[in-house]
Amino acid sequence: MSGRRALIAALVLLVGVVCARASSERAAHKFSAEGLAKVSAYIRNEVATGKIPGAILLLQQHGKPVYYENFGVRDLATRTPMSADTIFRLYSMSKPITSVMAMMLVEEGKLSLEDPVAKYIPAFADMKVGVERRGEGGKVALTLESQQRPVTIKDLLRHTAGLPYGATGGSAVRELYAAANLFDSDLSNADFAAKIAALPLAEQAGTVWAYGFATDVLGRVVEVVSGKTLLQFEKERLLDPLGMTETAFHVADPAKFPRIAEPMPEDRHISPTTEVRDIRRPMTWESGGAGLVGTVGDYARFAQMLLNGGTYESRRYLKAETIALMASDHIGPETRIGRDQNYYPGGSSGFGLGFAVRTSAPPGTSWPLGEYRWDGVGGTFFFIDPEDDLFGIFMVQTPSQRSRIQLALKTLIYQAMGR
């Protein structure tokens, strides 16, 4: 029943998107010059007060930039001004790209959302679920239970697979994930999937939204189904056709090293044990969840393709109904899926197949429903607003300031539209 409701919701959203685009020039909210000036002033102040070295903001509406500005420098060490060809670590903004690759295979009938992950990674069939139980004397022990149902491809896409990052939460299973040091291992996607399959699931599949390594496992599924490495498949089907020539898993050409954006010298910690990655160094691991690097222009092509309903420059990448399905809430109340203590989409949003999806406007705002988005732990974020035929991309490298800046900047952007 939940699958049927999700499909109906997707179709409703699709109709809404089509209607919105048909009248977008007439109906969309417009930016005020005064409002955009406040956006610029905010970012300039972040640079001037030493919070960030520099940043880029792009707002594109009706297929054309309505705001673009470079701020500050790429790297304090070189003082090179920020520019459009600056290369950023995208981290979790990799996830929507991997999700699109998987949905291409779904459209072709080579993959199904209801397929067990074990169909493609057999070791997943043997995974147990870690459950903490209090025994005699109040001592908590980790016990392993059988899966009530298999982890599916949909679980990987919507983060209900029980595969946590492990950096937060404090449970015994999360401690096992943290101890496995998965972020700092440099394995092939096949070896990574095997290593994670040797750990217990943190929850029964489909019961809790919990952020983690699900999209990395999805990247391995894409490899198995396509018969190619993740990067090969991405380049063949998406990156090269779209013109995303700077998007990869590391910067291979030394001539491009000076174009890499760096955070403030004291702002290089992703977690207490993990620092911002050196993207000059080649890696074996093609992390579908957090490994890509790229430029604002590359990601703008990807975002415009999504906003267009799956097309870009007369080429179709996904069907409009597939985009609508991805941008529908798949963890709503009717699914009875819980939300972990670090529910990053926030109270006004659900989660689709690769993105957070706005389901209600935050108090005191008229932010558009159906807006979908995600961000990266390095500071970057993007959002797609079908109602206003708009997308925004903010590029910056600041692990410590990202959440604060994202909320403040998003508020100013929508205030500039009268929302």
Side-chain angles (χ1 to χ4, degrees):
M1 183 61 71
S2 63
R4 183 182 177 188
R5 286 175 178 151
L7 178 59
I8 292 171
L11 292 173
V12 169
L13 177 61
L14 174 60
V15 171
V17 168
V18 170
C19 293
R21 287 191 61 80
S23 59
S24 59
E25 296 282 354
R26 172 177 54 82
H29 291 74
K30 296 180 179 180
F31 288 98
S32 70
E34 297 81 6
L36 290 178
K38 292 179 181 179
V39 170
S40 296
Y42 174 82
I43 303 173
R44 287 197 194 99
N45 184 65
E46 291 296 303
V47 175
T49 55
K51 306 287 196 319
I52 57 175
I56 300 174
L57 177 61
L58 168 66
L59 301 172
Q60 186 154 306
Q61 191 172 34
H62 309 316
K64 298 177 181 178
V66 293
Y67 178 99
Y68 176 88
E69 194 163 348
N70 301 307
F71 301 87
V73 299
R74 295 172 179 166
D75 184 350
L76 281 183
T78 65
R79 307 298 304 181
T80 307
M82 189 67 75
S83 60
D85 64 350
T86 302
I87 300 170
F88 295 84
R89 300 159 183 85
L90 299 178
Y91 282 105
S92 286
M93 275 171 57
S94 307
K95 288 179 170 71
I97 292 177
T98 305
S99 300
V100 162
M101 304 317 300
M103 294 307 290
M104 286 181 174
L105 295 171
V106 169
E107 278 194 354
E108 293 169 6
K110 297 176 180 177
L111 187 65
S112 168
L113 294 178
E114 306 306 325
D115 281 344
V117 174
K119 180 177 178 179
Y120 309 100
I121 306 173
F124 263 67
D126 299 322
M127 291 184 75
K128 301 296 183 182
V129 180
V131 178
E132 292 184 352
R133 299 200 182 281
R134 193 172 299 277
E136 294 182 7
K139 186 176 181 179
V140 175
L142 181 66
T143 61
L144 299 180
E145 298 183 354
S146 297
Q147 298 178 48
Q148 293 174 0
R149 72 155 174 81
V151 178
T152 65
I153 301 302
K154 182 188 286 186
D155 289 320
L156 297 181
L157 283 157
R158 66 183 183 179
H159 292 287
T160 57
L163 299 169
Y165 274 142
T168 58
S171 71
V173 172
R174 282 166 172 75
E175 289 174 4
L176 290 175
Y177 276 75
N181 208 26
L182 291 161
F183 267 125
D184 293 325
S185 56
D186 188 17
L187 305 171
S188 68
N189 279 340
D191 290 339
F192 177 88
K195 186 171 183 178
I196 212 166
L199 296 167
L201 299 171
E203 298 92 17
Q204 291 286 349
T207 61
V208 177
W209 186 97
Y211 201 49
F213 288 108
T215 316
D216 290 296
V217 174
L218 184 66
R220 175 54 186 162
V221 172
V222 168
E223 290 186 337
V224 173
V225 177
S226 69
K228 298 177 171 66
T229 69
L230 184 57
L231 182 60
Q232 285 172 344
F233 188 62
E234 287 176 341
K235 285 179 67 63
E236 176 186 309
R237 298 293 301 277
L238 184 75
L239 302 182
D240 288 351
L242 265 179
M244 298 174 68
T245 58
E246 303 285 359
T247 303
F249 287 102
H250 73 283
V251 181
D253 183 358
K256 296 181 179 180
F257 289 175
R259 291 167 47 194
I260 297 172
E262 298 292 351
M264 301 296 286
E266 69 278 8
D267 188 14
R268 299 191 66 87
H269 291 284
I270 299 298
S271 73
T273 60
T274 304
E275 287 205 348
V276 166
R277 184 163 71 91
D278 179 6
I279 57 176
R280 299 162 181 82
R281 182 173 62 86
M283 287 192 69
T284 302
W285 187 23
E286 296 182 355
S287 168
L292 287 174
V293 304
T295 61
V296 65
D298 274 16
Y299 216 87
R301 290 170 175 266
F302 177 68
Q304 188 66 59
M305 180 273 290
L306 294 173
L307 182 56
N308 290 348
T311 64
Y312 186 81
E313 294 182 342
S314 301
R315 177 167 177 157
R316 180 161 293 283
Y317 295 85
L318 284 176
K319 297 175 183 177
E321 53 264 39
T322 300
I323 300 289
L325 184 66
M326 295 178 74
S328 300
D329 183 15
H330 288 261
I331 61 166
E334 74 282 356
T335 67
R336 299 184 181 179
I337 291 171
R339 301 177 177 188
D340 73 356
Q341 61 184 359
N342 301 300
Y343 182 64
Y344 299 117
S348 65
S349 295
F351 202 84
L353 304 180
F355 320 96
V357 181
R358 178 122 7 239
T359 54
S360 64
T365 78
S366 62
W367 289 11
L369 307 189
E371 174 222 63
Y372 56 103
R373 65 197 185 278
W374 206 235
D375 56 66
V377 74
T380 61
F381 74 85
F382 82 105
F383 66 93
I384 295 176
D385 171 5
E387 182 177 317
D388 294 304
D389 195 21
L390 166 75
F391 72 79
I393 300 172
F394 186 61
M395 292 294 210
V396 68
Q397 303 283 242
T398 176
S400 69
Q401 303 299 308
R402 63 190 180 92
S403 297
R404 177 185 62 82
I405 290 175
Q406 181 177 163
L407 178 59
L409 194 54
K410 193 77 169 294
T411 300
L412 288 170
I413 289 168
Y414 275 124
Q415 285 177 349
M417 301 178 74
R419 306 202 71 152

